[in-house]
C-alpha cells in the first residue's frame, strides 16, 4: 500500500509526490534513496503531509551508516533519477541566504516563486506617521537558467511633520539602480524617523546566489514580468 509523504514542484510547475511503498521511498514508481530524501528536506524543497511524517523520515538517518554499499554505477543512476531539479535547489538557497539577513522576510509566493520584504522604517510622532517598505519578487525559469527580478520601495504617510531632510545618490545601468536614499523626518520632539536604504543590496544578495548555481539575474521594470 502506497502512502503519500511529501510533495515538491518541478521546473514546469508539476507537483510530484514522494510515497512510502513497501519499505521504499518512491517518486513516479522510481525508488528514492533515503540520503537524497534527507538532502531535499535539509534544503527546504519538500512540503510534508505533516510534521510527524517529517520527524519520522528524519529519524531514519542513523540507518544510513548500516546500509550495505551499493555498486558505483547503481549509485550514479539513483542520484541522477532522484536529484531535485536545479530550480528547486536555487530557490531553497535563496530562502536560506535571506534567513541570515535581519530585517528581511523571504518566502515562497503564490503567483511568483519567492517574495522578499523589508520594513525599512516606520514612525508615528503624534501629529503624523510614515512608513517605508521594500518589496521584491522573482521567478526562476529553468529552461533559460534566468531569474526574473522585480523590486520597489514604497512610502506611505499622513499628518503633519515639522520639516526634514531627504537625499538620493544613485546610478542606473540598464535596469539596475545602485546607490542610496536617505530620509529624516522631524516630529514635535525632534527626529521622528531616520531611514537609509541601499538600492542595490537586495539585488546583490539574490545575484550572489544565482552565480553560485550558474544562473543569470535579469531585472525587470514591470511586476508582471516576474510573475506567472
Amino acid at each position: 500500500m502506497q502512502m503519500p509523504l511529501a510533495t515538491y514542484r518541478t521546473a514546469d510547475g508539476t507537483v510530484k509526490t514522494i510515497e512510502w511503498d513497501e519499505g521504499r521511498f518512491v517518486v513516479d514508481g522510481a525508488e528514492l534513496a533515503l540520503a537524497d530524501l534527507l538532502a531535499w528536506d535539509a534544503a527546504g524543497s519538500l512540503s510534508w503531509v505533516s510534521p510527524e511524517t517529517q520527524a519520522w523520515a528524519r529519524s531514519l538517518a542513523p540507518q544510513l551508516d548500516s546500509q550495505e554499499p551499493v555498486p558505483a554505477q547503481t549509485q550514479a543512476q539513483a542520484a541522477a533519477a532522484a536529484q531535485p531539479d536545479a530550480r528547486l535547489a536555487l530557490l531553497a538557497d535563496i530562502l536560506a541566504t535571506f534567513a541570515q539577513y535581519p530585517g528581511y522576510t523571504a518566502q515562497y509566493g503564490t503567483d511568483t516563486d519567492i517574495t522578499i520584504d523589508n520594513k525599512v522604517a516606520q514612525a508615528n510622532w503624534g501629529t503624523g506617521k510614515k512608513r517605508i517598505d521594500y518589496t521584491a519578487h522573482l521567478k526562476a525559469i529553468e529552461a533559460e537558467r534566468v531569474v526574473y527580478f522585480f523590486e520597489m520601495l514604497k512610502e506611505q504617510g499622513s499628518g503633519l511633520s515639522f520639516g526634514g531632510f531627504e537625499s538620493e545618490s544613485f546610478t542606473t545601468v540598464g535596469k539596475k539602480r545602485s546607490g542610496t536614499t536617505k530620509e529624516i523626518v522631524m516630529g514635535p520632539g525632534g527626529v521622528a524617523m531616520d531611514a537609509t536604504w541601499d538600492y542595490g543590496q537586495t539585488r546583490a544578495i539574490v545575484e550572489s546566489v544565482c552565480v553560485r548555481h550558474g544562473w543569470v539575474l535579469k531585472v525587470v521594470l514591470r511586476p508582471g514580468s516576474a510573475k506567472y
Side-chain angles (χ1 to χ4, degrees):
M1 179 179 177
Q2 293 182 335
M3 179 178 68
L5 302 177
T7 60
Y8 68 92
R9 188 169 60 173
T10 64
D12 62 2
T14 303
V15 176
K16 297 284 188 178
T17 301
I18 300 174
E19 300 175 306
W20 178 253
D21 184 14
E22 297 181 351
R24 304 180 307 151
F25 296 104
V26 296
V27 179
D28 290 343
E31 185 171 358
L32 174 66
L34 174 60
D36 293 315
L37 175 72
L38 296 176
W40 292 15
D41 178 45
S45 302
L46 302 180
S47 297
W48 294 89
V49 297
S50 70
E52 292 77 13
T53 302
Q54 182 184 37
W56 168 77
R58 290 177 175 178
S59 72
L60 300 177
Q63 296 184 17
L64 292 175
D65 297 331
S66 60
Q67 292 177 350
E68 295 183 0
V70 180
Q73 185 177 7
T74 305
Q75 286 182 332
Q77 291 172 343
Q83 186 176 6
D85 59 55
R87 177 177 165 278
L88 288 178
L90 170 72
L91 297 178
D93 195 2
I94 291 174
L95 292 179
T97 300
F98 273 101
Q100 303 172 33
Y101 289 86
Y104 282 102
T105 300
Q107 58 190 348
Y108 288 114
T110 53
D111 57 354
T112 188
D113 284 324
I114 288 178
T115 62
I116 304 167
D117 297 291
N118 191 311
K119 293 180 174 58
V120 179
Q122 185 172 356
N124 188 327
W125 54 90
T127 60
K129 60 183 179 180
K130 189 161 190 177
R131 176 172 176 168
I132 302 175
D133 292 304
Y134 171 86
T135 182
H137 59 266
L138 60 88
K139 70 175 181 181
I141 305 300
E142 188 162 25
E144 304 173 24
R145 296 187 74 82
V146 172
V147 170
Y148 292 88
F149 180 78
F150 172 83
E151 61 179 344
M152 67 179 297
L153 198 62
K154 300 185 298 183
E155 294 190 17
Q156 293 178 315
S158 63
L160 175 67
S161 68
F162 294 81
F165 169 81
E166 186 173 355
S167 69
E168 282 192 325
S169 176
F170 65 88
T171 58
T172 302
V173 178
K175 299 176 182 178
K176 297 180 180 180
R177 173 181 285 193
S178 300
T180 59
T181 179
K182 182 176 179 63
E183 183 172 355
I184 296 175
V185 177
M186 303 299 296
V191 176
M193 187 180 75
D194 187 346
T196 301
W197 182 253
D198 183 340
Y199 282 115
Q201 66 180 11
T202 311
R203 185 182 68 246
I205 296 172
V206 177
E207 198 160 22
S208 68
V209 180
C210 290
V211 169
R212 284 203 298 269
H213 290 257
W215 286 56
V216 174
L217 179 74
K218 182 176 181 179
V219 177
V220 295
L221 299 180
R222 296 188 301 109
S225 298
K227 294 182 178 181
Y228 293 102

